[in-house]
Amino acid sequence: MASSSSFSSATITSKFIGFLFLLSLQLDLLLGSAIYHKNQTSFRPNREIQKLRRVEEYLRRINKPSIKTIHSPDGDVIECVPSHLQPAFDHPQLRGQKPLDLPEKRSRANETTNEESFIQLWSLSGESCPIGSIPMRRTTKTDVLRARSVKRYGRRLRKPIRRDSSGGGHEHAVVFVNGEQYYGAKASINVWAPRVTDAYEFSLSQIWLISGSFGHDLNTIEAGWQVSPELYGDNYPRFFTYWTTDAYQATGCYNLLCSGFVQTNNKIAIGAAISPRSSYNGRQFDLGLMIWKDPKHGHWWLELGNGLLVGYWPVFLFSHLRSHASMVQFGGEVVNSRSSGGHTGTQMGSGHFANEGFEKAAYFRNLQVVDWDNNLLPLSNIHVLADHPACYNIRQGKNNVWGTYFYYGGPGRNARCP
């Protein structure tokens, strides 16, 4: 009897110890799971905090002290920044310097002077920046957070420039010339507000000066108007500039969003909205653009309308463009991300095809190039290209009033462009 009772007691004790062991094991697993999830959830906020710190650091670097603030009706804030404090002078080769004096104006052969005044929305209030300062669009935290990454804000996605239908999601309708040495280009560009259907797409119309091979050492200087919801947060057409020396890899940026372009003008805000815009079957408004190389110092100057100098790209920024451009290109470009599965509905130009003509399709007119002696010349050996004519097309012509011109653009996705 005593031995039976002792056996029963030992059995119960062993079962109880086993139960305690299993309970302890379950508690350890639960506790481990809780710690894991806590670490995971705390990791996410830490990563977000690090990103916000990078954003704030970038904003401190790019938004310079101003002497006056102007509020634009489109929501932009324009800061009047002393010209010697602009981002260009953060560059090691420009630090401590000031913008150069304006180059000597020369009369050029074949120069036309029939441009209307260039107007931006921020200036409609009648406010302006004092002499000795430049108007800079203030970059906000929201602007930077819209970008795919803080590092790529203000830069184009890495892409190959191609003259065919496989340009990495970028589609063109352009006129270009090559085979000679070019020292600038000029055109009048019709301004529209094309619809951009994806937050990471854009639609632009511009002049490109290009040199180098179409690989990692490509140099470009670019200027025109663009609609870019990612960069600006809206669908206004905006005056913009761009440059790169390594095929959009690590150098260059839009506007004044890095050390590069030196602005000299106190009336134009690069990146600000253009007003007015052209309307279908209505009045047309042009942006007159010219980029030219100063024979004395070698810098590339940007000029608007009738001789309004905006600023310059210092020649030391470039490798192949130190001497001249080997190609000049005019026209439109869109990003086709195919985010909806088919071709994008983002428009180019007016959103209408070239064959619709004046007051309906977008155009470039009075296309010219600049020679070594700073003279304007008509284009020769012209090439015309539309990557996908069923989506965006182009039609080039010539007459006594518009010189060399072309209509271009289209709606993007349609029955012939699925």
Side-chain angles (χ1 to χ4, degrees):
M1 209 52 192
S3 65
S4 173
S5 172
S6 173
F7 174 78
S8 176
S9 174
T11 303
I12 290 169
T13 301
S14 65
K15 285 183 177 179
F16 181 66
I17 290 170
F19 169 75
L20 289 176
F21 174 76
L22 288 172
L23 181 63
S24 173
L25 188 63
Q26 286 180 328
L27 286 171
D28 285 345
L29 288 171
L30 288 169
L31 183 60
S33 176
I35 292 170
Y36 171 78
H37 286 295
K38 182 181 178 182
N39 287 340
Q40 286 296 98
T41 54
S42 64
F43 175 72
R44 288 195 194 99
N46 284 340
R47 192 164 55 186
E48 290 302 312
I49 289 168
Q50 289 173 0
K51 183 177 181 180
L52 288 173
R53 283 176 180 163
R54 288 196 301 272
V55 171
E56 288 164 3
E57 181 185 344
Y58 174 79
L59 292 174
R60 281 194 299 270
R61 192 167 67 249
I62 210 71
N63 287 327
K64 302 299 185 179
S66 71
I67 57 176
K68 182 179 180 180
T69 299
I70 301 170
H71 293 272
S72 175
D74 63 341
D76 280 355
V77 176
I78 305 298
E79 302 287 4
C80 299
V81 173
S83 57
H84 66 283
L85 296 181
Q86 63 183 290
F89 294 101
D90 292 335
H91 195 286
Q93 289 188 247
L94 292 176
R95 199 166 287 140
Q97 299 181 32
K98 294 182 178 180
L100 294 175
D101 293 333
L102 301 185
E104 181 182 342
K105 287 290 290 179
R106 297 175 54 190
S107 58
R108 297 183 179 94
N110 305 313
E111 186 158 27
T112 56
T113 55
N114 58 350
E115 302 296 340
E116 293 188 33
S117 298
F118 177 76
I119 301 172
Q120 293 184 298
L121 281 176
W122 71 273
S123 63
L124 294 178
S125 64
E127 295 279 353
S128 62
C129 285
I131 293 173
S133 68
I134 64 162
M136 282 187 64
R137 178 183 181 270
R138 182 193 291 167
T139 302
T140 67
K141 187 184 293 185
T142 305
D143 287 335
V144 183
L145 289 174
R146 274 195 308 270
R148 295 174 190 266
S149 72
V150 178
K151 188 177 180 181
R152 297 303 301 176
Y153 175 71
R155 293 176 174 173
R156 291 197 188 181
L157 291 176
R158 298 181 181 93
K159 68 181 181 73
I161 289 194
R162 298 282 291 274
R163 282 328 123 204
D164 55 39
S165 60
S166 56
H170 292 244
E171 298 185 15
H172 306 82
V174 295
V175 160
F176 66 94
V177 293
N178 56 11
E180 297 181 32
Q181 296 182 356
Y182 306 100
Y183 296 82
K186 183 178 182 181
S188 294
I189 311 173
N190 201 217
V191 179
W192 294 82
R195 183 180 70 248
V196 176
T197 59
D198 184 278
Y200 291 107
E201 296 180 347
F202 63 67
S203 180
L204 60 77
S205 299
Q206 67 173 39
I207 297 173
W208 290 260
L209 294 181
I210 302 169
S211 193
S213 62
F214 290 101
H216 295 298
D217 66 343
L218 187 75
N219 288 206
T220 74
I221 289 173
E222 308 171 29
W225 62 261
Q226 70 177 162
V227 174
S228 176
E230 178 187 7
L231 193 57
Y232 307 108
D234 58 34
N235 287 286
Y236 289 112
R238 293 170 177 270
F239 171 56
F240 82 96
T241 62
Y242 201 91
W243 66 276
T244 182
T245 62
D246 60 0
Y248 307 95
Q249 300 298 306
T251 63
C253 62
Y254 281 111
N255 309 332
L256 303 180
L257 295 174
C258 67
S259 300
F261 186 84
V262 179
Q263 184 163 338
T264 58
N265 190 286
N266 68 326
K267 296 180 173 62
I268 299 298
I270 303 175
I274 299 171
S275 177
R277 282 92 72 177
S278 302
S279 58
Y280 190 80
N281 274 336
R283 192 172 176 188
Q284 306 300 294
F285 293 93
D286 296 356
L287 168 62
L289 272 182
M290 181 174 176
I291 303 167
W292 55 279
K293 200 174 198 314
D294 174 19
K296 185 175 181 181
H297 298 287
H299 305 309
W300 292 92
W301 282 84
L302 174 61
E303 186 176 317
L304 291 177
N306 287 331
L308 187 67
L309 289 170
V310 181
Y312 60 93
W313 291 271
V315 68
F316 67 74
L317 293 174
F318 304 101
S319 52
H320 297 288
L321 278 172
R322 279 179 188 255
S323 54
H324 60 269
S326 56
M327 175 183 287
V328 177
Q329 183 169 280
F330 309 82
E333 177 184 350
V334 300
V335 173
N336 174 27
S337 64
R338 303 186 71 88
S339 57
S340 61
H343 194 283
T344 182
T346 288
Q347 299 174 335
M348 181 188 291
S350 68
H352 293 263
F353 286 115
N355 50 292
E356 292 194 40
F358 188 64
E359 292 186 339
K360 298 175 179 64
Y363 60 77
F364 279 60
R365 62 178 174 85
N366 298 109
L367 275 59
Q368 295 173 297
V369 292
V370 181
D371 72 1
W372 66 274
D373 199 28
N374 218 17
N375 293 312
L376 286 160
L377 301 176
L379 272 58
S380 59
N381 192 27
I382 296 173
H383 304 271
V384 179
L385 171 75
D387 290 334
H388 293 279
C391 310
Y392 315 103
N393 68 356
I394 186 167
R395 190 185 71 188
Q396 185 254 325
K398 188 173 183 179
N399 63 34
N400 292 332
V401 179
W402 279 16
T404 300
Y405 70 89
F406 62 88
Y407 291 101
Y408 70 103
R413 188 170 189 172
N414 65 79
R416 296 188 301 116
C417 173

